[in-house]
Amino acid sequence: MELDTLILSRLQFAANISFHIIFPTITIALGWILLFFKLRFQATGDEKWMDAYRFYVKVFALSFAMGVVSGITMSFQFGTNWPGFMEKVGNIAGPLLAYEVMTAFFLEAVFLGIMLFGARRVPPWLHTLATFLVAFGTTMSAFWILVLNSWMQTPVGFELRDGVVHATDWFAIVFNPSMPYRLVHMLLASGLTASFLIAGLSGLRWLLGDRGADVRATMKTGVMIAALLIPLQIFAGDLHGLNTLEHQPQKVAAMEGNWETRGNVPLLLFAIPDESQRKNHFELKIPSLASIILKHDPAGVVPGLNDFVAEDGTVMHPPVFKVFWSFRVMVGIGMLMLAVSWVAAFALWRQGFDRLTPWVPRALVVMTFSGWFATLAGWYTTEIGRQPWLVSGVLRTAEAVGLVAPVMVFSTLVMYLTIYGLLTLSYMFVLTYLAKKAASGEMAPDDVARAPIQRAIGVQPAE
Amino acid sequence: MDFFGDPTVWLPFTFAALMGVAILVYVVLDGFDLGIGVLFPFVGDDEKDQMISVIGPFWDANETWLVLAIGLLLVAFPTAHGYILTALYLPVAIMLAGLILRGVAFELRAKAPKGQKEQWNRSFYVGSLLTSLSQGFMLGMYIVGLDYTLNHVAFACLTAVCLTAGYAFIGATWLIYKTEHDLQRRAVRFAKFGLLGVIVGFAANSLASPLVSPRIFAKWFTMPEIFYLAPLPILSGALVVLIGITLRQMPHPADRLSWLPFAAASSLFCLAFAGLAYSFYPYVVPDKISIYEAASAPESLFIILLGAMVVMPAIAAYTVLSYVVFRGKARALTYD
Ligand code: HDD
Ligand code: HEM
Ligand code: HEM
């Protein structure tokens, strides 16, 4: 693989968006969960909900900041590395991004200030409203950006004039064929990521001997949300796949590792797809199951990759190995989530907290960041599965790349990777540290020093 | 040319104006919190916490103006957007690294174990400094038309230092407004230094830009224009004098007029910005691409404008709300 500007820019884009997405995935759902904690406190007056709120609002503030700074990087990427993207589809991507900034970013950014620091300065209803608006804002962000991404996957409602895309039907653009599936699947993914994070941090505190009412409440909340959402996610994922089969059959062929169009296609549990020989090695399969899943019929005909090779040998399907395996990682983690959340829910129900086997919190700790891996794997399936197109059938990735010298892109790529690596580690470290600190009952170094200032200026110690 | 009848004329103009406003608001608002970051190493540990507390509720929303500005450039002038950002590839990347460092340091310095606080304080400072310097560098390169020659780069380095001084200056005036006692006294000193930097910066820029761009020279130093434009430098001079006098009398025992330096500094930024805007119009890439050539399809601009007319007043309203909620002094180690 030669390191030209295209490859480097793609790597850089992938690094940036992967780093960005892991934080919104947490905040989108965590915002709503914080609102839930707050409303429970108001309804019951039970301090444990307020303790839960205070702990997770720190997690939220930190994740949000990471999301914001990496998001700013994202918005510059289009211009610095993919100028061809905006030149070709700017008439559609532009308004969608502009609506995201106007209806979501300002809302969340301004009310975040009031939510984090305003509790003693505004009446309680306004603080609750601010919390609601922040959660609503993050969800709106997800909505607009997913509209754009779905449109790039399944573009409709436009026409080409002088080689430039012009919008003809905004309703069709916003509600494009894959948007509802992608939005639902992403919001559920966010719910799962946040609930496993909460369950995992609560499990850690539990194992460290911190078994207060708030830890019990958050562990239960995390496990319950996860147990509830994962079946929905699997169901939504199945529907998503059927939709993709209709609009992007080549992507599904790659996900299934199916080379020839035929009936009775097996479900491959393991295989090494090999594009040079156009076949799989070491297959481990369940006969006809892929046909049953995709066509609800063992004899159902499933499209194969060889249909997507042009006469002259140009390959018009995505890289098979990467798509095949990303998809399996996602589904595998989904199955693991199902097992862990249900077993944990069952144990909490049968054993209760007082007789809980340590294996439950241990499993939850292992799964703390599982949502990240599933979400990233899912996005790799989706995005790599769209190649060689950037906008399906309209714009190729190679046509959009900017004319920046490879060394430049290489040096910025190294810079981003270094920063992202360090920050991701710091983030995980600090979350664990916050849990340990809460478990040991010690005040934050900062809470001690800042408490007087905070009281004076009305800043919540929760920051 | 029928201005309002022809959407390919008034829409690009409107969007250029909106973008200008977004950039101006960004420079003033994020200017003060970046500036406070630049001043970070010059104060003690307790004061650092106070400095963070005067920008804590605002910084995120302040940076959103940058996202809006770059978003408007991207949606309204896609070709120019690509041109400018690929030309400024490296400084943009450095700015982004700076913004990332300072944004996360904000949170991490308060949440990481005590032993690491020092390290996050440092990245807050380094991040703010890198951001300010690279923005100044980009401004300079933009003024001279985005061509990398030795003179141009030297000029851009000069604007980098000047803009950073400008940010430190407006940051110091914000501190004067939001703090008291020792920190306020110190902020007054910072502001005096910053003001010197600003004066040098203005002078250098006003001299250099007509020299490097004959077109800008022609726009300013021709006959009747020079008279219409005269109020800009005259007002700026008056503001500088006003700020200088107020700073000499500060801190006032009853804290009278502590808002004045910040208000005057903001006005100064506005005037400078108006001057720049006049110099560049109608170009979005100086001397190369005009806003009319670069604009997106009118239908697309119109649909954004429609939304903007509904949403922008709401944004303005809740931004004001947040400044009202967090009005008054941030006080250190005293009870209310
Ligand atoms: C916690 C995260 C998570 C989990 C457990 C799952 N997914 Fe997923 N999946 C995502 C998170 C995700 C995602 C990151 O949100 C994606 C990427 C783009 C999108 O719309 O959703 C995605 C994409 C995605 C696609 C790609 C469709 C396309 O772009 O064309 C399919 C077919 C599925 N998923 C199916 C499933 C199935 C059958 C699952 C059963 C276990 C599953 N997902 C679990
Ligand atoms: C948030 C989760 C996302 C992840 C993890 C992700 C990941 C990726 C990856 C791995 C690629 C590279 C594909 C390849 O080179 O084979 C890619 C391409 C791309 N994606 Fe996404 N993506 C995400 C969301 C989005 C969204 C929301 C947009 C648009 C608004 C987008 C726009 C693009 C663009 C412009 C490219 C082209 C660059 C390239 O092909 O490398 N992506 N993405
Ligand atoms: C190319 C794609 C993307 C761009 C250009 C982008 C841009 C941005 C920007 C500029 C911010 C900061 C906003 C602020 O200042 O408050 C941000 C934050 C955010 N983004 Fe993205 N983003 C992209 C992809 C995504 C995706 C795929 C999602 C989720 C599905 C997402 C969800 C969010 C959310 C919820 C926030 C709020 C901040 C947070 O929760 O951390 N973004 N994004």
Side-chain angles (χ1 to χ4, degrees):
Chain A
M1 188 163 70
E2 197 196 336
L3 285 184
D4 58 9
T5 303
L6 177 62
I7 294 287
L8 288 166
S9 302
R10 288 169 73 170
L11 284 174
Q12 178 163 307
F13 191 90
N16 283 331
I17 187 100
S18 300
F19 182 70
H20 179 56
I21 188 70
I22 57 182
F23 301 106
T25 324
I26 290 175
T27 54
I28 293 165
L30 192 55
W32 293 107
I33 296 176
L34 285 174
L35 184 64
F36 168 77
F37 288 159
K38 199 159 189 300
L39 292 176
R40 289 302 295 158
F41 173 67
Q42 280 167 4
T44 63
D46 192 336
E47 259 315 304
K48 72 179 181 193
W49 294 114
M50 209 53 213
D51 290 340
Y53 179 88
R54 267 187 219 117
F55 182 80
Y56 285 100
V57 84
K58 290 184 201 168
V59 176
F60 184 84
L62 179 57
S63 315
F64 200 97
M66 304 280 274
V68 168
V69 294
S70 56
I72 294 175
T73 315
M74 289 309 306
S75 45
F76 280 87
Q77 287 282 299
F78 290 119
T80 50
N81 296 80
W82 307 100
F85 179 72
M86 275 292 151
E87 278 162 28
K88 179 101 178 182
V89 301
N91 287 326
I92 286 179
L96 296 177
L97 289 169
Y99 271 84
E100 183 180 8
V101 178
M102 293 190 302
T103 61
F105 290 163
F106 275 106
L107 197 66
E108 57 197 29
V110 172
F111 284 101
L112 181 75
I114 297 182
M115 169 183 166
L116 294 181
F117 306 108
R120 317 226 169 149
R121 298 200 155 215
V122 298
W125 65 265
L126 183 53
H127 189 254
T128 307
L129 180 68
T131 312
F132 166 79
L133 287 173
V134 170
F136 178 74
T138 55
T139 310
M140 285 304 280
S141 275
F143 172 81
W144 288 114
I145 201 76
L146 289 173
V147 166
L148 174 54
N149 184 271
S150 306
W151 182 83
M152 290 163 60
Q153 303 278 347
T154 51
V156 286
F158 68 95
E159 65 186 19
L160 280 172
R161 271 183 247 151
D162 305 327
V164 172
V165 166
H166 284 259
T168 53
D169 180 352
W170 280 104
F171 188 84
I173 291 170
V174 172
F175 297 95
N176 63 73
S178 64
M179 190 282 278
Y181 299 93
R182 215 172 292 281
L183 179 63
V184 169
H185 203 54
M186 179 67 216
L187 292 182
L188 288 170
S190 173
L192 285 164
T193 309
S195 53
F196 272 100
L197 180 75
I198 292 178
L201 292 177
S202 310
L204 181 63
R205 286 172 67 175
W206 181 271
L207 291 176
L208 292 170
D210 179 8
R211 306 197 172 167
D214 58 328
V215 176
R216 293 169 186 230
T218 52
M219 192 193 293
K220 197 164 153 194
T221 311
V223 169
M224 286 310 174
I225 297 179
L228 204 74
L229 294 187
I230 186 68
L232 294 178
Q233 179 71 322
I234 295 176
F235 180 64
D238 182 44
L239 293 181
H240 197 344
L242 295 182
N243 181 262
T244 307
L245 178 64
E246 190 181 333
H247 297 281
Q248 297 174 294
Q250 73 282 20
K251 189 193 280 185
V252 173
M255 277 152 54
E256 301 298 344
N258 184 33
W259 298 93
E260 281 303 332
T261 303
R262 59 189 163 127
N264 294 91
V265 175
L267 183 74
L268 298 176
L269 296 179
F270 185 93
I272 310 272
D274 180 347
E275 255 180 80
S276 59
Q277 298 183 32
R278 305 200 68 77
K279 63 176 227 190
N280 300 329
H281 304 289
F282 311 112
E283 286 186 353
L284 179 68
K285 56 192 169 191
I286 304 178
S288 299
L289 193 55
S291 286
I292 295 177
I293 293 174
L294 291 167
K295 294 287 179 177
H296 303 290
D297 172 9
V301 175
V302 174
L305 291 160
N306 291 341
D307 287 4
F308 301 94
V309 179
E311 303 271 293
D312 64 355
T314 326
V315 176
M316 291 306 290
H317 62 70
V320 186
F321 184 88
K322 291 183 214 159
V323 175
F324 180 87
W325 274 106
S326 314
F327 185 64
R328 267 151 197 68
V329 169
M330 168 178 64
V331 175
I333 296 176
M335 295 303 159
L336 207 61
M337 286 177 159
L338 182 69
V340 171
S341 63
W342 281 39
V343 168
F346 186 75
L348 287 182
W349 173 54
R350 290 309 299 262
Q351 305 180 323
F353 278 105
D354 294 328
R355 292 186 299 116
L356 194 65
T357 78
W359 286 105
V360 168
R362 276 179 208 154
L364 294 178
V365 169
V366 171
M367 296 292 282
T368 308
F369 293 101
S370 57
W372 277 5
F373 297 101
T375 305
L376 288 177
W379 275 105
Y380 291 157
T381 312
T382 300
E383 300 285 302
I384 300 175
R386 189 191 54 216
Q387 302 303 320
W389 299 103
L390 183 49
V391 179
S392 302
V394 177
L395 175 67
R396 274 172 221 256
T397 310
E399 292 163 351
V401 72
L403 295 171
V404 180
V407 278
M408 284 260 242
V409 187
F410 183 76
S411 44
T412 54
L413 175 62
V414 172
M415 176 190 85
Y416 285 125
L417 286 178
T418 317
I419 296 182
Y420 292 164
L422 287 175
L423 289 183
T424 311
L425 288 180
S426 305
Y427 175 85
M428 293 167 93
F429 170 79
V430 168
L431 287 200
T432 323
Y433 170 75
L434 286 176
K436 286 187 185 148
K437 199 177 65 185
S440 69
E442 146 209 6
M443 278 256 269
D446 237 53
D447 288 349
V448 184
R450 291 204 315 184
I453 317 175
Q454 284 165 343
R455 269 194 291 284
I457 63 173
V459 175
Q460 269 286 353
E463 189 248 339
Chain B
M1 191 154 60
D2 182 7
F3 193 79
F4 279 106
D6 184 356
T8 59
V9 176
W10 69 266
L11 272 171
F13 184 81
T14 310
F15 273 87
L18 281 177
M19 191 170 85
V21 170
I23 295 177
L24 177 60
V25 174
Y26 171 75
V27 169
V28 170
L29 294 185
D30 212 28
F32 79 68
D33 66 49
L34 283 169
I36 285 177
V38 171
L39 295 173
F40 224 51
F42 303 106
V43 301
D45 279 344
D46 289 350
E47 291 171 324
K48 287 193 171 77
D49 288 341
Q50 287 180 61
M51 281 166 69
I52 289 288
S53 68
V54 304
I55 49 182
F58 308 115
W59 74 273
D60 182 3
N62 292 350
E63 281 184 5
T64 306
W65 288 97
L66 176 65
V67 177
L68 179 66
I70 200 71
L72 284 172
L73 176 63
L74 170 143
V75 304
F77 308 108
T79 35
H81 171 258
Y83 187 99
I84 296 173
L85 288 185
T86 38
L88 295 175
Y89 188 87
L90 221 49
V92 166
I94 294 173
M95 173 187 77
L96 292 171
L99 283 173
I100 294 175
L101 275 182
R102 77 187 290 273
V104 302
F106 229 105
E107 291 293 329
L108 287 172
R109 68 184 288 284
K111 297 191 176 69
K114 202 173 187 153
Q116 296 177 5
K117 187 167 175 178
E118 188 46 40
Q119 162 202 335
W120 292 114
N121 277 343
R122 209 169 318 126
S123 43
F124 183 66
Y125 163 66
V126 172
S128 306
L129 187 67
L130 281 181
T131 308
S132 312
L133 286 174
S134 48
Q135 284 179 358
F137 184 84
M138 290 190 271
L139 175 68
M141 284 315 293
Y142 183 80
I143 290 177
V144 296
L146 300 170
D147 295 319
Y148 286 82
T149 64
L150 199 60
N151 282 344
H152 288 174
V153 172
F155 174 75
C157 291
L158 179 68
T159 44
V161 176
C162 294
L163 189 73
T164 306
Y167 282 170
F169 168 64
I170 199 167
T173 61
W174 181 252
L175 279 177
I176 295 176
Y177 171 49
K178 294 297 269 186
T179 62
E180 300 177 301
H181 310 309
D182 282 353
L183 185 54
Q184 193 186 37
R185 263 193 288 281
R186 203 170 281 206
V188 171
R189 252 197 331 268
F190 292 146
K192 286 181 188 155
F193 276 114
L195 188 62
L196 276 181
V198 171
I199 295 171
V200 175
F202 267 102
N205 266 306
S206 315
L207 285 179
S209 23
L211 285 182
V212 292
S213 167
R215 187 185 55 80
I216 295 181
F217 184 83
K219 273 189 106 165
W220 283 80
F221 299 100
T222 38
M223 259 318 163
E225 275 85 352
I226 199 162
F227 291 108
Y228 305 139
L229 291 169
L232 276 183
I234 294 175
L235 272 178
S236 308
L239 276 172
V240 169
V241 172
L242 176 70
I243 298 172
I245 295 175
T246 340
L247 286 179
R248 288 190 79 138
Q249 295 165 351
M250 294 222 147
H252 196 275
D255 203 44
R256 225 160 32 89
L257 295 182
S258 68
W259 53 270
L260 187 72
F262 180 70
S266 312
S267 317
L268 200 57
F269 275 53
C270 294
L271 288 175
F273 192 82
L276 281 177
Y278 171 78
S279 303
F280 292 130
Y281 180 82
Y283 290 102
V284 57
V285 179
D287 296 337
K288 297 199 181 83
I289 309 178
S290 81
I291 57 175
Y292 304 106
E293 292 159 344
S296 309
E299 312 89 79
S300 294
L301 290 183
F302 194 71
I303 200 138
I304 303 175
L305 191 62
L306 221 57
M309 279 175 348
V310 180
V311 183
M312 291 317 270
I315 294 179
Y318 56 67
T319 305
V320 170
L321 171 73
S322 119
Y323 279 86
V324 170
V325 167
F326 296 104
R327 69 191 175 277
K329 298 280 179 191
R331 221 172 282 139
L333 304 170
T334 49
Y335 290 93
D336 265 344

